[in-house]
Amino acid sequence: MTSPRRVFREALLVGGVPALVLLTLWLSGALATRAAAQALVVCALAAVGVGWLWVHTLARLAEALRRGEQGGFYLAETTPLLPEAAEVADGVRRMARNLEERTALVSQLRDADGAIVEGLPDPLLVLAADRQPLRANAAARAVFGADTAALLRHPALAEAADRALAERRPQLADLVLPVPVLREVQAQVIPMLPPLPGGGALLVVVSDRTRERQVERMRADFVANASHELRTPLASLIGFIETLRGPAEDDAPARARFLQIMAEQSERMRRLIDDLLGLSRIEITEHQAPAGRAELAGLVRSEVAALAPLLQARKVKLELVLEEALVAAPADPDQLAQVVRNLLENAIRHGRAGGEVVLRIVAADQSGQPGLVLSVSDDGPGIPKEHIPRLTERFYRVDRGRSRAAGGTGLGLAIVKHIVNRHRGRLTIESPPGSGACFKVWLPAAEPATTRRLETPAET
């Protein structure tokens, strides 16, 4: 809006000198009174008109510049009445178009940069100079969630950030993150010079090295474990072969007995190698949570059917208590089937012959999170308290002779532990003295359940 005060001030500046000259001539008598009055009126009107045009044009230009600062359209396509102001208006229009184009280009580049950062497969964090997180890409949110405090508090990362700022060059740090599952990562800390808009002073790129390190350990462990556990059956096979080639060459009953023992030892080695390879595969993917769903009631029935010969051989009665609607999620159905199989087989083999095994699946929330508990209990001799913390170690046996006689490889509970860890669950073992053992697995669940009670006798 054009202010009357500004118009009067501009009119005074434009017509003040002519008006003063006319007034002086009039007072000195050089001009007639009527002519002087007319001249003064004309001069005043012209000054007001020119002042209004000037003030109005400048006001429009000022408004256009204010809109330009706010990102709006700058100036209407109209030509000011003053020719000099028209040139200025054209210049403002050209500058406005250039600024609009540059602003659009900057916005496009910013969107492209954001899309590239979000699409990076490795987690990326932007930190302020005081180590406060300013931004995290999609990979970082998926790996660390909303809370990156555990990563940023790690002493090795803090030291690398200090060195990066002090030396002004990238730094590497190897980190071991114990929660929610053990991960080994390498963090590259890059100082931003100059700082990014918004105060970003450090760029942290995290590369997961868990799989690589586990593969290295898997190779070493496999060689060590296989060489140790296979030594006994291989020695037995070699001894029986030499016996069959020598003293027992023509002894048919001895040959049949030795061949039976050799077949059992060969089967033991096959199971051992299968379990070692399976355990190694599970350990490689343990740090990656599953993404599927598993209906545990159906899995249990399938595994019970597969173990029917063992139940019959041991004359064990199996009781099932299942909440039918319970669904484990996220879950890997094949791995959870292996958990059920290993726990059932462990209870049947090491429980009391002719005894009873009970398998339950019930709903059990934990810290407000929906979940379920899979428990397998037997009525065997139980497990001494001092052995319970080590039961999930590879090849750990409470009674080595009895365990091997029962046909175990010593890897079943280790496999269960690593599968449960991958599913972000929890394994607990309870064994009151002389009262059997109970293995409980808590898993995150997706749905409520209705209880159904089934009994599976050993004869079926």
Side-chain angles (χ1 to χ4, degrees):
M1 179 181 294
T2 302
S3 170
R5 182 177 297 177
R6 291 184 60 189
V7 173
F8 175 77
R9 185 170 63 249
E10 296 298 328
L12 186 61
L13 291 175
V14 173
V17 174
L20 184 59
V21 172
L22 289 172
L23 185 60
T24 302
L25 292 175
W26 177 28
L27 294 176
S28 64
L31 287 177
T33 303
R34 183 179 181 83
Q38 292 175 348
L40 283 172
V41 172
V42 171
C43 179
L45 292 175
V48 170
V50 172
W52 182 86
L53 288 175
W54 184 254
V55 170
H56 183 67
T57 301
L58 292 179
R60 291 185 59 206
L61 291 175
E63 179 64 21
L65 292 174
R66 281 194 296 271
R67 291 180 182 176
E69 291 178 355
Q70 301 172 0
F73 188 71
Y74 298 93
L75 196 64
E77 293 291 338
T78 57
T79 302
L81 298 177
L82 295 177
E84 294 79 3
E87 295 180 5
V88 175
D90 289 339
V92 171
R93 291 191 191 99
R94 288 193 297 271
M95 182 179 67
R97 294 191 186 95
N98 290 336
L99 288 176
E100 275 191 321
E101 293 173 358
R102 293 183 182 182
T103 302
L105 179 60
V106 169
S107 178
Q108 292 175 359
L109 292 176
R110 186 181 294 113
D111 293 341
D113 290 344
I116 292 172
V117 170
E118 284 295 303
L120 288 175
D122 288 334
L124 183 145
L125 301 170
V126 179
L127 306 181
D130 60 356
R131 316 297 188 274
Q132 291 299 316
L134 300 178
R135 181 177 180 182
N137 68 349
R141 295 192 296 272
V143 173
F144 303 110
D147 183 17
T148 58
L151 173 67
L152 299 179
R153 284 198 305 264
H154 198 286
L157 182 62
E159 183 180 351
D162 292 338
R163 289 200 311 269
L165 290 175
E167 301 176 12
R168 299 187 170 223
R169 57 190 180 91
Q171 302 290 331
L172 291 176
D174 291 321
L175 317 176
V176 176
L177 305 177
V179 292
V181 67
L182 184 67
R183 289 195 304 268
E184 298 181 45
V185 302
Q186 185 180 74
Q188 185 175 16
V189 185
I190 305 170
M192 294 288 99
L193 301 172
L196 299 174
L202 292 170
L203 199 65
V204 180
V205 182
V206 181
S207 301
D208 197 334
R209 296 287 186 264
T210 306
R211 185 183 181 91
E212 299 173 10
R213 307 284 167 77
Q214 285 181 341
V215 168
E216 295 171 2
R217 285 193 294 268
M218 178 196 72
R219 292 171 181 167
D221 291 346
F222 181 81
V223 172
N225 294 327
S227 62
H228 174 73
E229 292 294 326
L230 294 177
R231 185 179 294 114
T232 300
L234 279 175
S236 299
L237 288 174
I238 293 171
F240 287 131
I241 291 172
E242 291 176 351
T243 303
L244 289 174
R245 285 177 173 176
E249 183 176 5
D250 298 324
D251 189 344
R255 184 170 59 249
R257 187 171 69 256
F258 289 162
L259 288 175
Q260 176 64 29
I261 297 173
M262 291 169 66
E264 292 173 356
Q265 294 295 328
S266 300
E267 176 63 19
R268 177 187 168 193
M269 286 193 294
R270 184 194 65 78
R271 290 199 309 271
L272 179 62
I273 292 173
D274 287 346
D275 282 351
L276 278 172
L277 292 175
L279 179 58
S280 298
R281 284 192 295 268
I282 293 167
E283 287 181 331
I284 288 175
T285 60
E286 184 177 351
H287 65 289
Q288 299 173 346
R293 295 161 62 89
E295 296 181 1
L296 287 184
L299 293 181
V300 167
R301 293 190 181 91
S302 298
E303 296 305 320
V304 168
L307 291 173
L310 182 60
L311 285 167
Q312 187 172 5
R314 296 279 295 168
K315 295 182 171 51
V316 171
K317 179 176 144 182
L318 176 62
E319 182 181 0
L320 302 180
V321 181
L322 307 178
E323 293 194 8
E324 296 289 336
L326 276 178
V327 176
D332 183 325
D334 293 336
Q335 288 190 347
L336 291 187
Q338 191 170 8
V339 168
V340 173
R341 179 167 61 252
N342 287 2
L343 291 180
L344 273 178
E345 188 173 350
N346 185 72
I348 296 169
R349 290 184 185 276
H350 300 290
R352 183 171 56 88
E356 183 179 26
V357 172
V358 180
L359 187 151
R360 290 183 175 85
I361 299 177
V362 296
D365 294 351
Q366 184 179 86
S367 301
Q369 180 182 4
L372 60 89
V373 170
L374 163 68
S375 66
V376 178
S377 57
D378 61 64
D379 57 357
I383 305 168
K385 184 177 180 181
E386 63 272 16
H387 293 286
I388 290 178
R390 301 190 60 189
L391 282 181
T392 56
E393 296 179 9
R394 293 185 181 197
F395 302 113
Y396 186 83
R397 297 177 176 93
V398 176
D399 184 341
R400 291 184 175 272
R402 182 170 177 268
S403 176
R404 284 176 177 161
T409 63
L411 295 172
L413 292 179
I415 291 173
V416 169
K417 180 190 73 172
H418 289 288
I419 291 176
V420 171
N421 287 344
R422 187 189 178 214
H423 285 71
R424 308 304 188 256
R426 191 179 69 224
L427 170 66
T428 56
I429 304 172
E430 300 173 357
S431 182
S435 301
C438 180
F439 294 80
K440 294 182 179 180
V441 174
W442 182 89
L443 296 169
E447 300 177 7
T450 56
T451 303
R452 179 183 176 185
R453 188 179 184 88
L454 298 175
E455 187 171 296
T456 304
E459 297 77 32
T460 59

